[in-house]
């Protein structure tokens, strides 16, 4: 039994019928080195870990899992490719992790995404998915640790976007994975850089944390 499982109570849980398709949608944290030339490449991060554990706990040779993370993506980038990457494969579950680049670009390129714009863009994205599919939504909370220390100033921008993700999870009856809090708790057990070496991108241990939390939140642990 996943030790995190008892920490999650969700309004709804996804079903995983035989032959189901799952799509993991997001930025570089999801991408994690996937081979763009191979449609079913899962990369080297939490998506591959979730897939392997699902394969062990819920064997199904007909299950299809797609990693559709693209490095550098913001919420608007997901909206631009949602029909191809999410609507077309008609997944039983779509898992979305987005938001950190909407914060990061404010600080490295002076290209901010306001909280209101993030909310509107994310809501439109989820509305499109629900309009065109019968998929179950899993929303992953964007996260950040203070590595290096200047990441602390990013909280003023990211924290409202975390609030948006939480709000939309309720609005769309999605399963929610509270990763920011889980990484903060993990950083009391080992240094923050052990989990997120640059405060954003997970180590192997950080990816394992995400995979465990995802399986627990969805009830598929």
């Amino acid at each position: 039994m996943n030790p995190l499982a008892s920490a999650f109570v969700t309004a709804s849980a996804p079903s995983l019928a035989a032959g189901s398709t799952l799509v993991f949608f997001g930025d570089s944290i999801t991408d994690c080195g996937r081979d763009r030339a191979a449609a079913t490449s899962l990369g080297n991060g939490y998506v591959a870990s979730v897939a392997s554990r699902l394969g062990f706990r819920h064997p199904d040779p007909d299950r299809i899992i797609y990693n559709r993370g693209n490095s550098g993506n913001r919420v608007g980038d997901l909206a631009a490719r949602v029909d191809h990457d999410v609507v077309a494969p008609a997944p039983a579950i779509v898992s979305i992790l987005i938001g950190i680049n909407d914060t990061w670009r404010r600080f490295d390129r002076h290209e901010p995404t306001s909280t209101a714009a993030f909310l509107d863009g994310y809501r439109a994205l989820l509305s499109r998915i629900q309009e065109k599919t019968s998929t179950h939504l899993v929303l992953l909370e964007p996260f950040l640790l203070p590595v290096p220390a200047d990441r602390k100033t990013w909280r003023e921008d990211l924290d409202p976007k975390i609030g948006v993700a939480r709000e939309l999870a309720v609005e769309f009856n999605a399963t929610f994975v509270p990763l920011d809090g889980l990484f903060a708790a993990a950083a009391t057990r080992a240094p923050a850089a052990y989990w997120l070496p640059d405060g954003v991108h997970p180590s192997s241990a950080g990816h394992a944390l995400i995979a465990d939390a995802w399986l627990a939140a969805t009830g598929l642990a």
Side-chain angles (χ1 to χ4, degrees):
M1 174 70 70
N2 187 320
L4 287 174
S6 63
F8 294 95
V9 177
T10 59
S12 62
S15 60
L16 202 60
S20 293
T21 296
L22 290 75
V23 172
F24 290 82
F25 202 37
D27 53 34
S28 60
I29 299 167
T30 299
D31 185 330
C32 203
R34 70 180 176 94
D35 180 356
R36 306 293 177 82
T40 56
S41 172
L42 297 179
N44 304 307
Y46 77 91
V47 178
S49 184
V50 167
S52 65
R53 296 181 205 189
L54 283 178
F56 170 64
R57 294 168 183 161
H58 307 276
D60 180 2
D62 297 319
R63 181 179 299 127
I64 300 172
I65 298 178
Y66 294 118
N67 181 336
R68 293 297 180 260
N70 279 5
S71 182
N73 270 195
R74 291 180 271 183
V75 72
D77 299 304
L78 297 195
R81 58 190 181 90
V82 66
D83 284 357
H84 179 272
D85 288 346
V86 176
V87 173
I93 299 172
V94 59
S95 175
I96 303 175
L97 172 56
I98 199 67
I100 190 59
N101 289 319
D102 292 273
T103 287
W104 201 336
R105 296 295 84 85
R106 169 185 166 183
F107 293 94
D108 69 348
R109 298 183 190 171
H110 306 290
E111 296 176 2
T113 302
S114 70
T115 301
F118 184 73
L119 172 60
D120 290 345
Y122 208 163
R123 179 181 281 133
L125 173 71
L126 299 178
S127 296
R128 178 68 176 174
I129 293 171
Q130 282 200 339
E131 174 190 353
K132 295 295 182 179
T133 74
S134 58
T135 191
H136 181 89
L137 295 166
V138 179
L139 303 189
L140 282 67
E141 185 175 63
F143 51 84
L144 180 70
L145 288 176
V147 183
D150 69 354
R151 299 287 194 259
K152 291 179 181 179
T153 63
W154 294 17
R155 298 295 329 188
E156 67 177 79
D157 190 276
L158 184 64
D159 284 352
K161 293 178 171 65
I162 290 173
V164 164
R166 294 170 179 170
E167 176 183 337
L168 292 176
V170 174
E171 181 178 335
F172 286 86
N173 196 35
T175 296
F176 187 69
V177 189
L179 294 177
D180 191 58
L182 292 174
F183 273 111
T188 69
R189 299 191 289 116
Y194 176 82
W195 306 100
L196 305 176
D198 65 354
V200 172
H201 296 96
S203 63
S204 58
H207 277 288
L209 181 155
I210 297 172
D212 272 8
W214 193 98
L215 291 164
T218 59
L220 296 171

